[in-house]
């Protein structure tokens, strides 16, 4: 009887890295860049696969430099509950070896925070440990690490919070001195723009809702409304839910969307639910 093939730890690590890169591309609406990441990875490493080296080559402005590390001894802790994991995470391998992660990414980080991704039994998409300061609010733990601190949290929720933040394709593609995400609001709408372009009360309330979601609401809250299309943020809200929030009917919401679109204040595009995702046009702000 032939024994079943068992992938090596290195193969499992590469598979994990590819799945996490693909997850980020999907959450940021960058699926069309998958081939570019493959080509960049092959050009740098000689291996045509999805990897964070190729990802950083295409998106040097991504707010964190990520790495998948082979934490071999994690299997020894695989039966621990999540509660036990977060009670004293400092005795586990990812915390102990985070300095090695920093050495591994080297200049690729370019001053950005650094994060290491790893699996943990019972947690979908695994965990991330990083030295950044991001406005995530879901279950996480922060531990001292020298003069700084390290944060451990769920990888998928972390990425979705980043995707809901005000990064665009140009900033992701441009090398820069990346600062941690801030929830500081953008410029407010001017009364002149509102008075000149918005004539109905429902239109005004809808516009205010979009401004709040896209520019004022913290990313950990706005992520329930935000989707990424081609790297840009769109607001995806069920029209019945929107009508409830605006205290009006679905038909009135539809008319308000059409009016704002005709005045050049928002753009729309169909989604999978036969409704429209929405985003603000640049001229909304002065």
């Amino acid at each position: 009887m032939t024994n079943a093939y068992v992938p090596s730890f290195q193969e499992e690590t590469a598979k994990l890295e590819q799945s996490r890169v693909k997850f980020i591309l999907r959450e940021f609406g960058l699926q069309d860049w998958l081939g570019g990441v493959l080509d960049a990875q092959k050009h740098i490493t000689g291996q045509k696969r999805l990897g964070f080296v190729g990802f950083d080559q295409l998106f040097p402005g991504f707010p964190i430099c990520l790495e998948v590390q082979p934490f071999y001894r994690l299997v020894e802790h695989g039966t621990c509950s999540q509660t036990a994991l977060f009670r004293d995470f400092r005795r586990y391998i990812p915390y102990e070896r985070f300095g090695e992660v920093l050495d591994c990414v080297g200049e690729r980080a370019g001053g950005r925070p650094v994060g290491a991704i790893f699996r943990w039994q019972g947690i979908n998409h695994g965990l991330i440990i990083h030295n950044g300061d991001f406005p995530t609010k879901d279950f996480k733990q922060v531990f001292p690490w020298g003069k700084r601190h390290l944060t451990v949290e769920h990888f998928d929720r972390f990425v979705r919070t980043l995707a809901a933040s005000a990064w665009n394709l140009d900033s992701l593609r441009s090398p820069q001195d990346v600062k941690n995400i801030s929830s500081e609001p953008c410029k407010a709408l001017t009364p002149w723009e509102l008075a000149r372009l918005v004539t109905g009360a429902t239109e005004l309330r809808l516009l205010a809702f979009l401004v709040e979601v896209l520019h004022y609401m913290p990313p950990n809250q706005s992520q329930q409304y935000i989707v990424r299309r081609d790297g840009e943020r769109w607001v995806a809200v069920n029209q019945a839910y929107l009508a409830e929030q605006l205290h009006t009917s679905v038909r009135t919401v539809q008319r308000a969307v059409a009016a704002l679109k005709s005045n050049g204040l928002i753009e729309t595009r169909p989604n999978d639910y036969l409704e429209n995702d929405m985003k603000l046009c640049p001229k909304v702000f002065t």
Side-chain angles (χ1 to χ4, degrees):
M1 180 177 179
T2 304
N3 293 330
Y5 173 73
V6 179
S8 67
F9 196 88
Q10 287 78 9
E11 290 174 319
E12 286 293 332
T13 301
K15 183 178 179 181
L16 174 63
E17 183 175 18
Q18 292 184 81
S19 69
R20 298 309 179 260
V21 172
K22 187 177 294 185
F23 179 82
I24 292 174
L25 291 175
R26 183 176 71 248
E27 291 299 318
F28 273 78
L30 298 171
Q31 296 94 323
D32 292 344
W33 292 84
L34 189 148
V37 175
L38 288 171
D39 292 339
Q41 185 81 13
K42 182 178 181 180
H43 177 74
I44 298 171
T45 68
Q47 298 178 315
K48 190 169 184 178
R49 63 177 180 83
L50 291 176
F52 285 114
V53 171
F55 180 86
D56 282 340
Q57 180 72 16
L58 286 185
F59 305 108
F62 195 74
I64 186 170
C65 181
L66 297 172
E67 184 72 13
V68 174
Q69 282 288 299
F71 296 132
Y72 293 98
R73 287 166 49 198
L74 277 180
V75 68
E76 299 174 10
H77 311 297
T79 57
C80 289
S81 67
Q82 295 184 34
T83 302
L85 165 69
F86 285 104
R87 183 181 298 124
D88 189 14
F89 187 80
R90 284 174 288 183
R91 71 184 181 89
Y92 293 109
I93 301 302
Y95 178 90
E96 295 174 353
R97 290 177 47 187
F98 191 78
E100 298 177 24
V101 178
L102 293 177
D103 293 338
C104 178
V105 299
E107 295 181 0
R108 179 160 63 90
R112 296 174 294 167
V114 172
I117 306 162
F118 55 96
R119 289 193 177 97
W120 195 267
Q121 183 177 351
I123 299 179
N124 291 334
H125 299 287
L127 297 170
I128 178 173
I129 180 170
H130 63 82
N131 61 353
D133 186 16
F134 298 96
T136 50
K137 296 294 184 182
D138 288 311
F139 183 66
K140 64 180 180 180
Q141 289 291 316
V142 180
F143 302 95
W145 192 73
K147 295 181 179 180
R148 304 190 64 180
H149 62 267
L150 296 181
T151 300
V152 184
E153 55 187 313
H154 290 234
F155 172 74
D156 55 344
R157 300 172 189 174
F158 173 77
V159 170
R160 286 173 179 140
T161 300
L162 294 185
S165 303
W167 298 94
N168 56 46
L169 184 58
D170 289 339
S171 65
L172 294 175
R173 292 276 290 154
S174 301
Q176 54 188 304
D177 294 329
V178 180
K179 299 180 181 179
N180 287 331
I181 294 176
S182 170
S183 58
E184 290 295 321
C186 299
K187 295 179 181 178
L189 291 167
T190 65
W192 169 247
E193 286 286 331
L194 287 175
R196 186 169 63 88
L197 296 172
V198 182
T199 57
T202 302
E203 297 166 34
L204 179 59
R205 292 197 297 270
L206 174 56
L207 197 59
F209 174 80
L210 295 176
V211 171
E212 181 180 4
V213 170
L214 288 169
H215 298 294
Y216 284 80
M217 192 176 289
N220 61 290
Q221 297 178 20
S222 64
Q223 62 178 312
Q224 63 182 312
Y225 304 112
I226 299 293
V227 296
R228 288 274 181 172
R229 310 291 187 196
D230 301 323
E232 296 184 324
R233 295 186 307 157
W234 294 74
V235 177
V237 183
N238 179 274
Q239 290 180 351
Y241 172 83
L242 195 55
E244 181 180 347
Q245 295 300 305
L246 301 181
H247 306 290
T248 187
S249 67
V250 171
R251 182 58 186 147
T252 302
V253 167
Q254 294 172 343
R255 287 196 294 265
V257 170
L260 292 176
K261 183 178 179 181
S262 66
N263 284 328
L265 291 174
I266 68 171
E267 294 180 19
T268 65
R269 60 182 294 171
N271 58 31
D272 295 336
Y273 302 99
L274 302 179
E275 296 185 354
N276 286 317
D277 297 337
M278 297 171 283
K279 73 171 183 177
L280 294 167
C281 295
K283 74 175 185 177
V284 170
F285 294 98
T286 57

